[in-house]
């Protein structure tokens, strides 16, 4: 499925026998439906914890992270579209403020072009691949089989949705630091493909995030 998953991988790849062994290890011996649900939840939490560590943020409400990686094809009612809307606004505002502060002598036109590069789809897709988000997104099987090119907007949306989830889980200052932190800023490493916008900003992306 080209790196995408429509279920929680840890639970999905186990046979019933392997799950039973896990049950014994963690002390749940009764062969009941309730136990099966508990085991599924155990692996779901492990899955989300792995993702949380990858993005460098520990959620107080882990369900927000689960929602952020749920595409509408996997769940038409409870998905990441609203978080994507919120994250898009946060990302644009945080980057705009940082550019305004970082480059006090640049004019609006250059600042706008800088921001456009930093928040464009290709940059967000690069972030998603660097964080290996393709291994965590919940999709329907049909959507999971789409070509990589057609999945780009899905990757963009998940990055924005995670930003929105961090905001709801914390506060403005925390989400701002999250957006600007180096591990989210594959943005910063995109400088090699950025055309020279002005002599004073040859390395503006690197300086933006690392100075």
């Amino acid at each position: 499925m080209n790196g995408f998953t429509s279920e929680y991988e840890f639970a999905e790849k186990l046979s019933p026998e392997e799950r039973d062994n896990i049950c014994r290890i963690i002390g749940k011996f009764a062969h009941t439906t309730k136990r099966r649900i508990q085991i599924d939840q155990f692996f779901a939490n492990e899955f989300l914890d792995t993702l949380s560590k990858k993005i460098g943020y520990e959620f107080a409400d882990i369900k927000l992270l689960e929602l952020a990686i749920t595409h509408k094809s996997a769940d038409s009612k409870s998905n990441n579209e609203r978080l994507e809307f919120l994250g898009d606004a946060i990302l644009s505002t945080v980057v705009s403020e940082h550019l305004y502060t970082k480059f006090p002598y640049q004019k609006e036109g250059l600042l706008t072009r800088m921001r456009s590069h930093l928040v464009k789809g290709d940059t967000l897709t690069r972030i998603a691949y660097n964080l290996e988000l393709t291994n965590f997104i919940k999709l329907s099987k049909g959507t999971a089989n789409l070509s990589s090119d057609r999945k780009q907007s899905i990757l963009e949306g998940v990055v924005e949705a995670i930003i929105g989830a961090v905001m709801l889980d914390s506060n403005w200052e925390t989400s701002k630091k999250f957006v600007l932190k180096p591990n989210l800023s594959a943005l910063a490493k995109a400088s090699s493909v950025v055309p020279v916008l002005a002599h004073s900003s040859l390395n503006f992306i690197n300086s933006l995030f690392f100075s």
Side-chain angles (χ1 to χ4, degrees):
M1 293 190 295
N2 297 323
F4 283 77
T5 179
S6 58
E7 303 291 343
Y8 289 117
E9 285 185 343
F10 297 136
E12 190 179 55
K13 292 183 179 179
L14 292 175
S15 67
E17 292 76 17
E18 288 171 323
R19 289 193 181 197
D20 284 340
N21 287 334
I22 292 295
C23 290
R24 295 187 188 95
I25 291 170
I26 63 177
K28 296 180 173 65
F29 297 103
H31 292 272
T32 63
T33 300
K34 181 178 179 181
R35 187 196 65 176
R36 179 65 61 220
I37 293 171
Q38 288 172 324
I39 294 304
D40 287 344
Q41 190 59 51
F42 170 78
F43 283 103
N45 288 341
E46 287 289 304
F47 180 87
L48 293 171
D49 184 56
T50 299
L51 175 56
S52 182
K53 288 174 182 174
K54 273 194 171 294
I55 66 175
Y57 177 80
E58 184 175 350
F59 280 82
D61 182 0
I62 199 68
K63 288 188 178 300
L64 283 169
L65 179 57
E66 182 176 11
L67 186 62
I69 61 172
T70 303
H71 186 253
K72 64 182 179 182
S73 66
D75 192 326
S76 62
K77 293 182 179 178
S78 181
N79 56 61
N80 64 5
E81 286 188 317
R82 286 169 55 82
L83 285 176
E84 181 182 340
F85 163 79
L86 180 60
D88 176 52
I90 294 166
L91 177 63
S92 182
T93 302
V94 168
V95 170
S96 296
E97 180 189 18
H98 204 69
L99 286 170
Y100 179 87
T101 303
K102 196 74 179 175
F103 300 98
Y105 303 111
Q106 296 295 350
K107 294 183 179 179
E108 179 195 2
L110 178 58
L111 294 176
T112 298
R113 297 205 301 277
M114 287 179 177
R115 181 184 62 195
S116 294
H117 176 80
L118 291 171
V119 303
K120 71 179 182 178
D122 287 347
T123 304
L124 297 182
T125 300
R126 187 185 298 264
I127 292 171
Y129 278 120
N130 282 2
L131 293 174
E132 300 180 320
L133 296 185
T134 53
N135 294 323
F136 297 90
I137 302 171
K138 295 177 67 179
L139 300 167
S140 70
K141 287 185 171 149
T143 303
N145 287 324
L146 293 173
S147 67
S148 296
D149 288 343
R150 294 182 66 185
K151 289 171 183 169
Q152 182 168 323
S153 63
I154 295 173
L155 291 170
E156 297 166 26
V158 169
V159 172
E160 291 172 339
I162 288 174
I163 292 171
V166 170
M167 173 66 179
L168 292 181
D169 192 67
S170 57
N171 52 53
W172 173 253
E173 284 304 314
T174 299
S175 56
K176 182 175 167 181
K177 289 176 183 177
F178 178 74
V179 169
L180 296 175
K181 71 194 301 183
N183 80 333
L184 192 64
S185 301
L187 314 162
K189 297 178 182 177
S191 58
S192 60
V193 297
V194 183
V196 177
L197 299 178
H199 178 71
S200 61
S201 58
L202 286 173
N203 296 309
F204 79 91
I205 299 183
N206 283 327
S207 66
L208 179 62
F209 291 98
F210 295 110
S211 63

